[in-house]
Amino acid sequence: AQTVTQSQPEMSVQEAETVTLSCTYDTSENNYYLFWYKQPPSRQMILVIRQEAYKQQNATENRFSVNFQKAAKSFSLKISDSQLGDTAMYFCALNQAGTALIFGKGTTLSVSS
Amino acid sequence: EAGVAQSPRYKIIEKRQSVAFWCNPISGHATLYWYQQILGQGPKLLIQFQNNGVVDDSQLPKDRFSAERLKGVDSTLKIQPAKLEDSAVYLCASSLLAGGPSDTQYFGPGTRLTVL
C-alpha cells in the first residue's frame, strides 16, 4: 500500500521568511509523481508544484521549491519570501500516472505580518 | 480556460435523506475523480472515471453512494440514504490525459455537506 506522511500538523512563519514543510512517502513503484497542493479556507485545491520521480533535478516554481530525496522517500517543500497569501493547508500527494492521488493529512501554515 | 465547476457549494440535510452533487470538468479532460475530504484529513478517492467508464470505485460505499458520468462530460454523485459520517467536503477533479506526462489533476471548489 502507498502512504504519504506529513508529520507537522501546524507551522507558522513571519512574512518574508523561509519555511520548509516535510513529507515522507512509501511506494513500491518505480515510476510515480509527487505533488504539493495548497488549500486555502475557500477550499479550492490548487497545485503548487509537481515532481516526476525519474527526474533528479528538484522542481521549482517561483518562490516554491522542493527537496526530493528518492532513496530516503522524502519530498519537502520550501517556501521563500513567505507572503500572507500563502496562509493555507498544504497537502503532499503521490500517484502513478493515471491513478488517484494519495494525500497526506496536511500541514496548516500560518503566515503573519 | 474555465476551471472545474461544482454545485451546490453547501448542502445541509437530515440523516436518511438523499443528496446529489454535480461536477463539470475542464473542457476536453477525459478523466474525472470524486474525492471525499473529512475535516482535518486529506482527500480520499471515491470513484475515478475515464470518459464515461469507471476505472476505480473500490472505495465507494456502494450500498449508499452512486455516481455516473453521462456522455463522458458532466458527473453526478449521489448519497442515499445519508449518514452522519458522510459529513465532509466532496471534491471533483479532472485531468487531461490519464497516464500521460501532463496528467495533473485540477480541482473544483468542492461541496460542503453537513448531515444532521
Side-chain angles (χ1 to χ4, degrees):
Chain A
Q2 299 178 101
T3 59
V4 175
T5 302
Q6 294 178 250
S7 58
Q8 306 154 313
E10 297 180 358
M11 293 196 71
S12 58
V13 67
Q14 298 273 357
E15 262 187 309
E17 292 185 344
T18 295
V19 64
T20 299
L21 307 184
S22 301
C23 172
T24 58
Y25 62 92
D26 191 24
T27 179
S28 57
E29 301 291 332
N30 212 22
N31 296 318
Y32 53 90
Y33 300 85
L34 292 160
F35 304 83
W36 279 98
Y37 279 89
K38 167 185 176 181
Q39 188 177 42
S42 66
R43 301 198 307 269
Q44 182 92 41
M45 194 77 78
I46 301 165
L47 177 67
V48 175
I49 200 165
R50 65 176 272 159
Q51 173 82 41
E52 291 86 352
Y54 60 84
K55 289 187 177 178
Q56 292 187 338
Q57 187 172 7
N58 289 326
T60 62
E61 285 288 344
N62 301 314
R63 298 183 294 107
F64 300 88
S65 61
V66 298
N67 183 5
F68 174 46
Q69 302 288 329
K70 191 172 184 179
K73 295 184 177 177
S74 170
F75 183 62
S76 61
L77 174 70
K78 185 171 82 171
I79 306 174
S80 304
D81 186 26
S82 296
Q83 301 175 359
L84 295 177
D86 295 333
T87 293
M89 190 87 150
Y90 287 80
F91 289 96
C92 179
L94 158 76
N95 79 342
Q96 281 74 56
T99 67
L101 292 161
I102 306 296
F103 286 89
K105 289 189 174 182
T107 296
T108 300
L109 176 66
S110 299
V111 181
S112 56
S113 56
Chain B
E1 176 180 84
V4 177
Q6 288 188 248
S7 68
R9 291 296 308 276
Y10 303 90
K11 190 73 178 179
I12 301 174
I13 61 173
E14 300 279 336
K15 61 182 179 183
R16 292 188 290 273
Q17 286 187 325
S18 62
V19 64
F21 312 127
W22 172 82
C23 173
N24 181 241
I26 293 172
S27 178
H29 279 200
T31 309
L32 186 147
Y33 306 82
W34 283 102
Y35 291 88
Q36 181 191 57
Q37 185 179 16
I38 293 173
L39 185 65
Q41 299 182 19
K44 292 184 179 178
L45 178 74
L46 288 173
I47 189 166
Q48 176 186 350
F49 292 95
Q50 176 76 16
N51 295 311
N52 60 353
V54 174
V55 174
D56 183 357
D57 63 356
S58 58
Q59 299 180 72
L60 186 73
K62 298 181 185 62
D63 58 333
R64 297 183 301 106
F65 286 66
S66 64
E68 61 181 3
R69 190 179 183 197
L70 299 175
K71 299 180 181 178
V73 182
D74 292 6
S75 177
T76 57
L77 175 70
K78 296 179 182 178
I79 308 175
Q80 182 179 12
K83 292 185 175 182
L84 296 177
E85 58 261 36
D86 298 332
S87 293
V89 174
Y90 291 84
L91 296 167
C92 180
S94 69
S95 65
L96 178 63
L97 183 64
S102 299
D103 182 24
T104 293
Q105 295 179 31
Y106 297 91
F107 285 80
T111 298
R112 180 180 295 280
L113 173 67
T114 301
V115 182
L116 303 175

